[in-house]
Amino acid sequence: MYVPYKMRYSLSTHVRKRSSPPTRATMVRTSGPDTMLLLTLAAVASGPVAAYSWPDPKIDLLESILYQQNGYRQYGLAFGVSPCTNMANMQETGRDDSAEWFRTAYHDMATADVQTGIGGIDASIGFETDRPENKGKAFNETLSFILAFQSARSSMADVIALGGLFSVGSCSNGEVIIPFRGGRIDALEAGPTGVPQPEEDLDTHTAAFARQGFNVSEMIGLVACGHSIGGVHGENFPEIVDVVDDINNQASRQDFDETFDNFDNSVAKQFVANTTQNPLAFGHNETTRSDFRIFNADGGELIRKMAESQQFFWDTCTTLLERMINTVPKGVKLTDVIEPIPVRPNNLFITVNPNGTQTISGEVRILEDGVTSANRQVLIHLKSRDGKNISSNPVVATTQNGLQVVGYYKNLPSFTSYTFTTTVPTTVGVSAFDVQLKDGNTDITNTNGGGGFPFQDALITQAESTCVGLEFFSTKSNNTLNISVAVRDDMEFDTVQLWVPKPVNMIGTFSTRFEPTSTELSKTESLNGTGYSIYSGSYWFTVDSVGPMKTFDLFASGPNGVVYNNFTRWADFNVCQ
């Protein structure tokens, strides 16, 4: 079984020769994956895995959401299904997020046609919630919860896949850890119909799963895995489950097995033992006994194996569910499996001071290996603007209680963050740093592939004088960013711009699209004796409710080159007073 081991890179930039302003790829509708075999993955690039170098815009944010679940600088997506019985909508009993998040991921994938390359996990489910094949509140309520984690670098489709992954991880207490790859692209419209329905016959189900890329045996396994948690809601399917008057079960849910909140093989064991309460196996409506027909499609061979061995059940589900979330439209190229990054910076800032110095601060997140001593030293070796070591004495980074992050369930990594701050003359500047880890007899220096962790000082947000505002009216919100940027005078920039991936609401779905927008920043102050000037500006937009994760980029160009300061979160700044 696969067992794996936050991030902001506000000052991770690239300096290049003069070129046009940055472009942002717009979201496009694409088509679906090639046919898959049991142990193969759709749309996964082949070839050697490149060594990680920070920052990597394709995976860094997703790695944060995936692994920084609970604790310091946590991303709260996994909280929605932790514990497995959690339900964000406390107004109705008889429901839980874990089963509904998993159902959302499957229904989004279920219309895929691997031969034509149309469909897969692409967030088209948001446009399809009014279809009879997508009954219930689960889909819209799932999307409205996870919307906060959609961003310019984490598509709604990626977040839907993460939601399914977290559901299974939480409900199995980490026994099923699905390897995750990012890079899914959001659809801008509804996809085809074709989610399998309980009243359909076996031939229809077999054809539907074949269209998705799964043979008969895989169909049986996938259904058993999916029906290990949750149940059928009578309020949505009264023809399958009776509607009951029960304050503790307002959704009139009948569970698939006796351990509806535990991702285990009970659904298989109880079916084989003929003691099942699964309404899709032995419900009063024979027409809708789809699980009975599917589980017996191979004469009952696979479901018996899944019933006999909990580990076989988990291993089978790990393989099939990885394939499920990796079923994506044709042309979508997923990343390599996102592993926890051993050493990575967070929240790097430079503040230009009136006395001709600049305060350099940040954090380093260290992956724990379980054997670290309390005497570990984390040393930061800063490099000057010209690439030389600033001092023979490294900056000491320190930690304390409260700077740890852990997972909500077993088999997940834990991290400790170490903070540092120092001051250097503005004439010296900073361009990068290495991280030295000393622990007992171990002394390792991480150079980020040889060039150090980038930390440019030509185009830097001034955190203390930057703020954000959020004002609600009706069902919408005004989002305002007032930004202050220190710009190095010797770069002689002709233009300094703020770029914002503006969230734009789409009709018929909770998901948003991002529209690249820019505004010029104006020089408002010269900081005499520092070699810097301050550029300022504001940007605002209106979006339904709170909306997705808000970020911004900075861009400047001139005769001495182009500088990008990419992907800074609005949430990392104080609220405007």
Side-chain angles (χ1 to χ4, degrees):
M1 180 185 299
Y2 171 84
V3 179
Y5 272 38
K6 140 185 162 217
M7 158 157 191
R8 210 195 71 213
Y9 33 96
S10 62
L11 294 180
S12 65
T13 62
H14 305 280
V15 180
R16 303 191 314 199
K17 293 186 177 180
R18 191 189 222 353
S19 64
S20 59
T23 60
R24 297 290 183 270
T26 56
M27 298 179 191
V28 295
R29 173 118 181 119
T30 57
S31 22
D34 299 326
T35 302
M36 299 172 289
L37 301 176
L38 179 60
L39 297 178
T40 62
L41 300 176
V44 177
S46 59
V49 177
Y52 174 81
S53 179
W54 184 87
D56 186 334
K58 293 181 179 180
I59 72 170
D60 287 338
L61 176 62
L62 293 172
E63 191 261 10
S64 296
I65 300 173
L66 180 60
Y67 294 118
Q68 289 185 209
Q69 295 187 4
N70 185 27
Y72 185 63
R73 298 200 185 281
Q74 65 186 20
Y75 283 77
L77 180 60
F79 169 77
V81 288
S82 300
C84 182
T85 53
N86 197 28
M87 184 64 206
N89 178 12
M90 301 302 293
Q91 298 177 356
E92 185 176 31
T93 58
R95 299 171 56 195
D96 56 82
D97 283 337
S98 56
E100 297 188 0
W101 287 17
F102 183 89
R103 185 175 178 230
T104 299
Y106 174 72
H107 278 236
D108 194 30
M109 182 283 302
T111 58
D113 187 328
V114 297
Q115 293 296 326
T116 63
I118 296 174
I121 293 190
D122 59 2
S124 65
I125 185 67
F127 298 99
E128 300 158 3
T129 57
D130 58 349
R131 295 175 177 175
E133 64 187 25
N134 295 321
K135 294 179 182 179
K137 307 170 186 175
F139 307 108
N140 280 331
E141 291 190 359
T142 295
L143 295 178
S144 66
F145 183 95
I146 69 177
L147 172 62
F149 303 93
Q150 182 188 9
S151 74
R153 291 189 178 176
S154 53
S155 68
M156 179 61 87
D158 274 337
V159 182
I160 287 172
L162 280 167
L165 177 154
F166 285 145
S167 295
V168 174
S170 175
C171 294
S172 69
N173 191 25
E175 296 293 347
V176 177
I177 300 292
I178 304 172
F180 181 76
R181 303 168 187 264
R184 294 163 188 80
I185 297 176
D186 290 339
L188 301 181
E189 60 185 5
T193 59
V195 178
Q197 298 298 294
E199 68 274 11
E200 294 171 341
D201 60 25
L202 181 60
D203 287 343
T204 303
H205 277 122
T206 301
F209 279 88
R211 170 176 46 77
Q212 300 164 17
F214 298 94
N215 62 29
V216 171
S217 180
E218 295 159 359
M219 171 183 69
I220 297 167
L222 194 58
V223 172
C225 297
H227 290 174
S228 177
I229 53 177
V232 178
H233 294 161
E235 67 174 1
N236 303 322
F237 299 95
E239 72 279 12
I240 302 176
V241 171
D242 292 334
V243 176
V244 297
D245 183 11
D246 184 351
I247 192 63
N248 296 314
N249 187 12
Q250 293 167 322
S252 298
R253 181 181 67 196
Q254 182 173 331
D255 301 327
F256 289 125
D257 61 31
E258 294 177 353
T259 59
F260 75 96
D261 59 348
N262 192 342
F263 192 87
D264 60 16
N265 67 341
S266 292
V267 67
K269 290 170 64 176
Q270 292 171 24
F271 179 83
V272 171
N274 202 27
T275 60
T276 184
Q277 61 190 44
N278 182 350
L280 298 182
F282 292 109
H284 62 74
N285 187 341
E286 185 174 351
T287 303
T288 57
R289 293 179 184 172
S290 55
D291 281 11
F292 179 86
R293 295 187 287 271
I294 289 172
F295 291 164
N296 285 308
D298 65 347
E301 180 180 352
L302 181 63
I303 200 70
R304 281 195 297 271
K305 289 181 179 179
M306 298 181 85
E308 291 168 357
S309 170
Q310 179 67 83
Q311 193 61 55
F312 178 80
F313 179 90
W314 282 332
D315 291 345
T316 300
C317 291
T318 301
T319 298
L320 292 174
L321 297 182
E322 181 182 9
R323 281 189 39 206
M324 184 190 87
I325 67 171
N326 287 345
T327 301
V328 293
K330 183 180 180 181
V332 175
K333 184 178 181 181
L334 298 181
T335 67
D336 294 317
V337 172
I338 297 178
E339 302 280 4
I341 300 166
V343 177
R344 63 178 268 195
N346 279 325
N347 285 56
L348 303 181
F349 283 103
I350 297 175
T351 300
V352 178
N353 303 312
N355 63 357
T357 65
Q358 53 192 30
T359 300
I360 298 169
S361 63
E363 302 167 2
V364 177
R365 192 201 70 183
I366 308 297
L367 174 67
E368 296 294 353
D369 58 8
V371 296
T372 301
S373 74
N375 297 320
R376 175 204 276 161
Q377 289 182 288
V378 178
L379 306 175
I380 308 300
H381 296 264
L382 292 169
K383 300 180 186 297
S384 66
R385 195 174 296 141
D386 59 8
K388 298 178 181 178
N389 289 330
I390 289 179
S391 171
S392 58
N393 296 318
V395 179
V396 178
T398 61
T399 190
Q400 60 186 15
N401 290 335
L403 298 186
Q404 292 74 38
V405 61
V406 297
Y408 278 109
Y409 41 85
K410 296 187 305 183
N411 295 325
L412 288 175
S414 60
F415 305 92
T416 300
S417 288
Y418 292 75
T419 63
F420 65 91
T421 184
T422 190
T423 301
V424 301
T426 56
T427 54
V428 175
V430 64
S431 62
F433 63 93
D434 297 332
V435 179
Q436 183 182 8
L437 304 179
K438 298 177 69 176
D439 189 5
N441 296 325
T442 302
D443 188 341
I444 299 174
T445 298
N446 191 311
T447 64
N448 196 37
F453 296 96
F455 201 170
Q456 67 83 28
D457 66 353
L459 181 68
I460 48 182
T461 305
Q462 299 299 278
E464 293 183 358
S465 51
T466 295
C467 66
V468 297
L470 181 63
E471 179 185 10
F472 290 96
F473 62 98
S474 183
T475 60
K476 296 183 179 294
S477 63
N478 276 336
N479 299 264
T480 304
L481 170 68
N482 296 324
I483 190 168
S484 175
V485 180
V487 179
R488 219 169 69 215
D489 295 332
D490 64 349
M491 295 299 292
E492 299 180 340
F493 292 129
D494 298 324
T495 182
V496 178
Q497 296 178 335
L498 169 70
W499 283 78
V500 176
K502 175 184 174 183
V504 177
N505 297 120
M506 297 187 288
I507 296 174
T509 180
F510 279 96
S511 181
T512 62
R513 64 180 177 86
F514 293 91
E515 181 179 289
T517 56
S518 67
T519 185
E520 291 286 335
L521 300 182
S522 301
K523 182 177 178 179
T524 56
E525 183 182 2
S526 292
L527 301 178
N528 295 329
T530 67
Y532 283 87
S533 296
I534 295 296
Y535 284 67
S536 302
S538 296
Y539 185 88
W540 70 273
F541 63 84
T542 300
V543 67
D544 286 348
S545 187
V546 177
M549 189 184 300
K550 298 178 287 287
T551 65
F552 68 84
D553 300 338
L554 296 174
F555 165 79
S557 67
N560 295 318
V562 171
V563 177
Y564 301 96
N565 184 331
N566 289 333
F567 202 75
T568 302
R569 299 193 315 156
W570 291 35
D572 289 326
F573 299 95
N574 293 326
V575 175
C576 298
Q577 301 298 318

